[in-house]
Amino acid sequence: MNFLSLFVLIPALMMAGLFLSKSRNQIRTVAAIGASLLMILSGILTYLYLTQRAAGNLAEMLFTSDTVWYAPFNIHYTVGVDGVSVSMLLLTSVIVFTGVFASWKIDPLPKEFFLWYSLLSSGVYGFFISTDLFTMFMFYEIALIPMYLLIGVWGSGRKEYGAMKLTLMLMGGSALLLVGILGIYYSSGATSMNILEISKHHIPMAFQRYFFPLTFMGFGVLGALFPFHTWSPDGHASAPTAVSMLHAGVLMKLGGYGAYRVAIYLMPQAAHEMAWFFLILTGISVVYGAFAAVHQTDLKYINAYSSVSHCGLVLFAILMLNTTAMTGAVLQMLSHGLMTALFFALIGMIYGRTHTRLITEMGGLMKVLPFLGVSYVIAGLASLGLPGLSGFVAEMTIFVGSFQHVDTFHRILTIVATSSIVITAVYILRVVGKLLFGAVQDAHHQHLEDATWYERLSVVTLIIAIVAIGSAPFWISNMIHDSVVPVLSQIIK
Amino acid sequence: MDYSSFLQMHEEFSLLGIMVFLLVYDIFAGEKAMKYFQPLALILLVIHTIYNAIPRDAFSIAGGMFEYVPMQSYVKAILNIGTIVILLQAHKFLNEETNRIKRGEFYFLIFSTLLGMYFMISSGNFLMFFIGLETASIPLTTLIAFDKYNRKSAEAGAKYILSAVFASSISVFGMSLIYGSTGTLYFSDLATLITGTPLQIMAFVFFSVGLFFKISLVPFHLWAPDVYEGSQTNITAYLSVISKGSAVFVLFTLLIKVFGHLVHQWQPILYGLAIASITVANLFAIRQQNLKRFLAFSSISQAGYILLAIISGSAMGMASLVYYVLVYMFSNLAAFGVISVIEERTGKVQISDYNGLYQTNPRLSFVLMLALFSLAGIPPFAGFFSKFFVFSAAAAQGFYVLVFIALLNTIISLYYYLLIIKAMYLNQNENPIEKVSSDWAVKLSLAFCTLGILAVGLISGIYGQISLLSFGM
């Protein structure tokens, strides 16, 4: 038993603990302890990973272990991590941890809420640690289905519609994905579903032409690839706070990570050949998402469309197929995960106080809620790429990377995508100005109470992470860079 | 003549012994002993199942009329387990004042259909196969019309017998064509004699109708919704799991054993049937209001997924098929168990009646939710694994387009399964179904099914055992 399996085991134990707990305090204790353990575990993992690399361990994946599961189908339970998955695990831990505190007062049915929440997180962790196509796909689906109940029961607004749309569209994506996975496995002629093993085989080009688009679009649905992004605004807008955080923060990254780890790594030739088509689609995501956000008045919709734009940028950078852009893509996943989680947490906290999310009905909140107000400004600045915060590092790396292509097509696309930075500034500054400054619009808002300790804990944790990546990016970008190189060497080969 | 070789038919003889014993017991037992009738029957069936679950060496007796291969032990064991679960769920129903006198008949009829399926599975000759098929369907008709004063039940019985007899007569016509073109009905001889002449292809088409009817594939499915709705819920469960499970296995073995040379003819036929069954049934299921009709359409589409395993014709396909039936049994019986409890206590079977069920019956809602998730193929429940293996078996033979269409259909199916979950968990209801108390037998059966749904997928040894004994073309 490898210690990486603890990432799946702890949420499972959390579920068992929650199942047995009776009072609200017990539920909170179990959830908080579990989330903290996961946080510590990912800290230890990062430390061990970095020491191993410093000691000169050049293996593609570290801490691997392999257990045969379904021998007739060559399905193994294989785990292993590289720099990209380590950073994703770190991100997940931060968001699961802060999500628990953001839903400290969840009502009704707190026990069921945390049960599904833990199941969701075990799926996400499992996805990031596994290197076997089958287990990866299994964990992917485990992460999807709790969303239906989480949004449907605890959500707000048009929650039934949002939940159904989200679940069905994401399941549609996973249907494409499953055909892709079966195709990859059978056409590669590999003797196991392990990704590292399959990458040594060559999938015939005739098959790659079918299975690359299927796999990429399958993951792309979750990564908000235009035109499959429509679940995202409705789903996020109706989801409860912690679920929006986890979903926009981590789950959408499953799409980018999967596209990188499975689609591009295993079918590099097709990726090279077809990148132009998907680049156009992701380019549309980036710009269209930003424009749509300008138009919205509901805080959650603004942030959901902004997620479409930012996640589009992740896929955009991955498709640039060079080291710099790909490193940028992973940094963007981290950065967007953290700041969008911060946004959703803050929106949830503001909504809990004002009972509205329309910016037209709010104003001058900085005076009444100084802590939340300042945090909102920080999140906004990170989102529009202020140097010193994580967004700058990520977007800078991406655009530098994509500009390394010398042909006109890539350069024009890059310039178009860069315009999203300006549009982002428009909607962020507009919201910040309208929401936080000026006179207090509603008399009821005069006597709102500022953040409580658990809300502060969750917000401060996220801000620390954002600032840490923004001001000291090199240790993490080096870690990612080293792991991106073997994937790209597949394409050059 | 030496009859001792007949004793090798362990399963059949021990089931027959139980049947005769119960019949005599039912007639001669006093008031006091009758109390133990159901527990006794169940215990005997459990012992029978355990004793016969261990595969033996293959043998052929009665001049090739009866052919046993080890895999059949597993299939029969799955049918037995399913029957035990259904009998547990029917326990309360049969203990009621009005049904107590008919209890002996209920058991006898269920066991005779089971016996018929045993013979159908182990047949080595078309005549033997036909006797098994009829032994399985005629007692079933009586069971469907068990509640003879209920108009719907009687109607369902009449519908079933008419269409079943029609289907089997077409099937017999097909057999006669086979005999006409080859001069034999023994499977072992036919394997080389069926070479693909037009007459034989016609014979195959006619013959297979009988089985397609049993499996209720589109377009042979029209009886299913009405019969499912009309019959007593436990019998509906029996129809949808046991009767269907035995038929798909027989179809698979016949296709590879007897019609192996016709592979290029039957593959396109099954291809079309699979797409039609899955798609049509899914679209109809969305519109259903009655849960039993809903599950009828859901089980038609599940049968379509099973065809994906059959179409591959490989050993992997057979293993996935048997595994799929096992998992399908656990999931479907859990769903039917919950529905039968609620129907029996409150008489409600509409989906809208289930609004807000979670508030009053959290445990039953939970079991039903697990069952539906498993039917929809959501991990980590067993249904995910069985679906994956079936798709994998088809993809291994290159049927990527079929797999793709089937997968698109899983989204539709997820939609309508979620509608039930939405009713139970999300919809508000002023006066939901009151708290239902279930007896020990139902609790035991539901606990067993839940365990199956949760564990069968994660424990890979079960599939491993099945795949050891599977065979294909």
Side-chain angles (χ1 to χ4, degrees):
Chain A
M1 198 74 175
N2 188 291
F3 82 99
L4 284 176
S5 302
L6 282 177
F7 278 114
V8 180
L9 209 61
I10 291 175
L13 289 177
M14 269 166 83
M15 288 174 72
L18 287 165
F19 196 74
L20 296 174
S21 47
K22 301 232 159 44
S23 69
R24 185 179 277 265
N25 274 333
Q26 279 175 343
I27 294 166
R28 282 174 180 167
T29 319
V30 172
I33 290 178
S36 320
L37 278 178
L38 286 166
M39 186 97 143
I40 295 167
L41 188 64
S42 51
I44 296 173
L45 172 69
T46 316
Y47 173 75
L48 287 177
Y49 181 86
L50 288 173
T51 40
Q52 283 272 330
R53 284 286 186 231
N57 189 342
L58 290 174
E60 204 172 318
M61 292 273 182
L62 298 185
F63 314 117
T64 50
S65 95
D66 186 297
T67 319
V68 179
W69 192 8
Y70 275 99
F73 287 98
N74 294 319
I75 290 170
H76 297 209
Y77 172 74
T78 326
V79 293
V81 286
D82 66 357
V84 180
S85 21
V86 168
S87 44
M88 287 296 115
L89 287 169
L90 259 179
L91 170 72
T92 315
S93 297
V94 172
I95 293 182
V96 168
F97 178 79
T98 51
V100 166
F101 287 97
S103 39
W104 202 241
K105 287 215 156 156
I106 189 83
D107 220 35
L109 306 172
K111 183 166 157 178
E112 281 83 351
F113 178 85
F114 282 112
L115 268 175
W116 290 114
Y117 187 78
S118 310
L119 184 65
L120 178 60
S121 31
S122 81
V124 176
Y125 280 118
F127 182 80
F128 287 133
I129 59 169
S130 48
T131 59
D132 179 277
L133 284 178
F134 175 82
T135 39
M136 223 168 159
F137 180 73
M138 184 184 81
F139 283 121
Y140 178 85
E141 289 219 334
I142 290 180
L144 296 188
I145 201 67
M147 294 300 295
Y148 180 76
L149 287 159
L150 283 170
I151 297 177
V153 179
W154 291 274
S156 57
R158 289 204 297 163
K159 56 185 182 180
E160 283 161 19
Y161 170 76
M164 190 62 98
K165 187 172 181 181
L166 179 141
T167 316
L168 291 183
M169 284 194 76
L170 295 186
M171 277 294 164
S174 79
L176 301 178
L177 193 58
L178 182 52
V179 185
I181 285 178
L182 289 172
I184 291 172
Y185 171 62
Y186 285 114
S187 58
S188 72
T191 50
S192 90
M193 288 210 186
N194 190 345
I195 292 176
L196 295 177
E197 152 92 29
I198 295 176
S199 73
K200 296 194 188 87
H201 293 259
H202 177 75
I203 301 172
M205 199 54 200
F207 286 105
Q208 286 195 25
R209 284 203 185 93
Y210 287 109
F211 298 128
F212 174 76
L214 282 175
T215 320
F216 191 84
M217 279 197 288
F219 282 118
V221 175
L222 194 49
L225 176 72
F226 181 85
F228 307 116
H229 67 283
T230 50
W231 58 268
S232 157
D234 290 315
H236 285 149
S238 42
T241 306
V243 175
S244 293
M245 287 167 70
L246 197 61
H247 199 258
V250 186
L251 231 70
M252 284 173 90
K253 310 302 172 292
L254 257 59
Y257 179 86
Y260 154 83
R261 176 75 79 218
V262 179
I264 292 183
Y265 187 39
L266 299 181
M267 292 172 286
Q269 286 86 10
H272 194 69
E273 196 180 281
M274 298 184 176
W276 66 272
F277 175 70
F278 289 108
L279 268 176
I280 293 175
L281 287 186
T282 52
I284 296 175
S285 285
V286 173
V287 181
Y288 164 79
F291 270 118
V294 174
H295 191 68
Q296 299 296 326
T297 51
D298 182 316
L299 281 176
K300 273 201 162 178
Y301 271 102
I302 295 176
N303 206 31
Y305 276 111
S306 139
S307 291
V308 172
S309 164
H310 282 126
C311 283
L313 202 55
V314 172
L315 292 176
F316 179 83
I318 289 176
L319 286 167
M320 283 296 169
L321 303 177
N322 66 36
T323 347
T324 321
M326 275 206 187
T327 312
V330 181
L331 282 172
Q332 171 77 355
M333 288 200 243
L334 274 176
S335 147
H336 172 258
L338 293 170
M339 74 198 182
T340 205
L342 180 57
F343 262 129
F344 276 121
L346 292 167
I347 292 169
M349 289 165 199
I350 292 172
Y351 177 69
R353 290 170 170 75
T354 61
H355 304 291
T356 176
R357 288 195 310 249
L358 296 177
I359 47 170
T360 47
E361 295 177 3
M362 289 182 279
L365 290 184
M366 187 62 107
K367 297 189 188 76
V368 261
L369 305 169
F371 179 82
L372 294 180
V374 170
S375 312
Y376 203 94
V377 174
I378 296 175
L381 293 178
S383 180
L384 57 80
L386 189 81
L389 300 174
S390 61
F392 173 75
V393 180
E395 290 184 358
M396 191 66 193
T397 324
I398 288 177
F399 291 126
V400 168
S402 22
F403 226 71
Q404 284 171 0
H405 285 276
V406 285
D407 56 317
T408 336
F409 173 72
H410 283 94
R411 290 221 155 157
I412 289 178
L413 260 180
T414 311
I415 292 167
V416 171
T418 320
S419 72
S420 75
I421 298 180
V422 186
I423 311 168
T424 309
V426 172
Y427 65 79
I428 293 289
L429 294 177
R430 185 179 70 111
V431 171
V432 167
K434 180 74 191 58
L435 182 71
L436 302 176
F437 301 107
V440 178
Q441 279 228 345
D442 194 325
H444 295 295
H445 293 174
Q446 288 286 6
H447 306 290
L448 298 177
E449 283 183 25
D450 209 359
T452 52
W453 68 268
Y454 48 85
E455 290 172 334
R456 278 170 203 257
L457 179 64
S458 137
V459 168
V460 168
T461 316
L462 287 168
I463 293 180
I464 290 175
I466 291 174
V467 175
I469 294 179
S471 44
F474 287 112
W475 66 274
I476 199 154
S477 73
N478 285 340
M479 182 168 95
I480 295 163
H481 184 272
D482 292 344
S483 307
V484 169
V485 173
V487 174
L488 280 162
S489 66
Q490 285 274 334
I491 299 169
I492 296 153
K493 187 171 72 184
Chain B
M1 196 174 162
D2 180 21
Y3 291 103
S4 65
S5 65
F6 277 45
L7 289 173
Q8 282 180 291
M9 301 196 282
H10 285 185
E11 282 101 336
E12 287 73 15
F13 272 110
S14 72
L15 186 66
L16 197 62
I18 295 174
M19 279 166 68
V20 174
F21 173 76
L22 288 178
L23 197 64
V24 176
Y25 189 88
D26 188 41
I27 296 170
F28 292 105
E31 190 66 27
K32 212 171 174 188
M34 277 309 278
K35 266 189 196 157
Y36 303 108
F37 178 79
Q38 294 210 67
L40 187 69
L42 283 168
I43 289 168
L44 285 175
L45 193 57
V46 170
I47 295 170
H48 160 77
T49 308
I50 296 169
Y51 174 69
N52 289 311
I54 302 140
R56 292 164 287 151
D57 290 333
F59 62 83
S60 167
I61 51 172
M65 272 282 191
F66 187 98
E67 277 182 348
Y68 170 89
V69 289
M71 189 61 155
Q72 291 168 359
S73 285
Y74 287 152
V75 178
K76 288 173 185 171
I78 294 173
L79 301 183
N80 288 338
I81 296 169
T83 313
I84 293 170
V85 172
I86 288 170
L87 289 176
L88 278 173
Q89 290 171 355
H91 185 268
K92 177 95 191 302
F93 167 76
L94 292 173
N95 261 351
E96 278 167 19
E97 203 61 44
T98 44
N99 299 320
R100 204 174 291 166
I101 41 161
K102 298 192 283 185
R103 198 163 55 187
E105 284 85 339
F106 190 91
Y107 275 79
F108 190 78
L109 290 170
I110 280 233
F111 286 167
S112 21
T113 61
L114 197 58
L115 191 65
M117 286 167 205
Y118 282 3
F119 279 115
M120 187 166 86
I121 290 169
S122 300
S123 57
N125 180 302
F126 273 115
L127 285 180
M128 188 72 181
F129 165 80
F130 186 68
I131 293 171
L133 184 77
E134 289 303 292
T135 318
S137 37
I138 291 169
L140 208 48
T141 317
T142 13
L143 283 170
I144 291 167
F146 194 67
D147 191 3
K148 63 181 173 187
Y149 297 113
N150 181 335
R151 204 174 58 84
K152 273 197 166 166
S153 175
E155 182 193 320
K159 256 182 196 154
Y160 184 76
I161 188 79
L162 288 178
S163 29
V165 166
F166 186 56
S168 35
S169 56
I170 295 178
S171 203
V172 174
F173 179 56
M175 290 178 202
S176 73
L177 294 182
I178 292 174
Y179 187 75
S181 80
T182 60
T184 176
L185 285 175
Y186 285 96
F187 293 166
S188 45
D189 301 338
L190 284 170
T192 49
L193 288 173
I194 290 190
T195 47
T197 62
L199 182 64
Q200 286 165 352
I201 294 170
M202 203 160 83
F204 163 72
V205 172
F206 279 122
F207 162 74
S208 52
V209 167
L211 278 173
F212 292 159
F213 169 83
K214 273 251 159 210
I215 310 171
S216 68
L217 295 169
V218 174
F220 310 100
H221 69 291
L222 293 164
W223 60 277
D226 289 342
V227 173
Y228 278 35
E229 188 189 357
S231 40
Q232 203 261 334
T233 311
N234 302 314
I235 299 303
T236 312
Y238 191 83
L239 270 173
S240 82
V241 178
I242 313 295
S243 167
K244 198 171 267 191
S246 62
V248 285
F249 181 73
V250 173
L251 178 65
F252 190 97
T253 46
L254 283 181
L255 285 178
I256 59 170
K257 241 165 52 182
V258 180
F259 299 106
H261 286 295
L262 299 184
V263 60
H264 297 296
Q265 278 79 34
W266 59 253
Q267 268 183 348
I269 294 178
L270 291 189
Y271 200 105
L273 284 175
I275 293 176
S277 300
I278 301 175
T279 316
V280 172
N282 273 345
L283 294 178
F284 275 85
I286 296 175
R287 303 288 299 160
Q288 300 307 315
Q289 296 302 316
N290 181 304
L291 262 175
K292 278 157 87 176
R293 290 183 82 84
F294 169 85
L295 279 176
F297 282 108
S298 133
S299 75
I300 295 169
S301 82
Q302 298 284 343
Y305 292 118
I306 298 181
L307 281 195
L308 263 71
I310 299 180
I311 211 169
S312 72
S314 56
M316 192 200 235
M318 176 180 277
S320 332
L321 173 130
V322 176
Y323 185 76
Y324 197 99
V325 172
L326 175 71
V327 171
Y328 171 68
M329 177 200 85
F330 281 122
S331 332
N332 227 24
L333 290 187
F336 272 116
V338 174
I339 291 167
S340 78
V341 175
I342 290 178
E343 192 197 2
E344 220 169 88
R345 310 291 198 278
T346 65
K348 293 179 174 171
V349 270
Q350 300 294 316
I351 293 178
S352 54
D353 295 331
Y354 279 61
N355 284 349
L357 186 72
Y358 182 70
Q359 299 155 23
T360 46
N361 295 295
R363 285 204 191 143
L364 286 179
S365 321
F366 184 70
V367 173
L368 187 53
M369 181 182 70
L370 287 191
L372 294 173
F373 275 156
S374 180
L375 285 173
I378 304 292
F381 311 118
F384 170 75
F385 295 88
S386 63
K387 274 228 172 73
F388 184 87
F389 296 154
V390 164
F391 291 149
S392 193
Q397 303 296 320
F399 291 103
Y400 290 113
V401 179
L402 183 60
V403 171
F404 185 62
I405 295 171
L407 274 166
L408 289 183
N409 268 292
T410 57
I411 305 163
I412 305 178
S413 70
L414 180 67
Y415 170 70
Y416 60 72
Y417 290 128
L418 281 180
L419 285 183
I420 316 275
I421 293 167
K422 175 171 170 269
M424 294 191 299
Y425 281 81
L426 269 59
N427 289 357
Q428 304 297 321
N429 194 350
E430 292 288 297
N431 40 7
I433 293 174
E434 66 271 30
K435 177 128 189 62
V436 167
S437 62
S438 34
D439 56 316
W440 64 269
V442 169
K443 273 185 190 152
L444 183 67
S445 79
L446 290 182
F448 181 67
C449 288
T450 312
L451 186 73
I453 292 171
L454 292 175
V456 169
L458 300 175
I459 301 168
S460 59
I462 295 171
Y463 183 85
Q465 275 300 320
I466 293 172
S467 78
L468 278 183
L469 295 180
S470 60
F471 53 91
M473 277 192 297

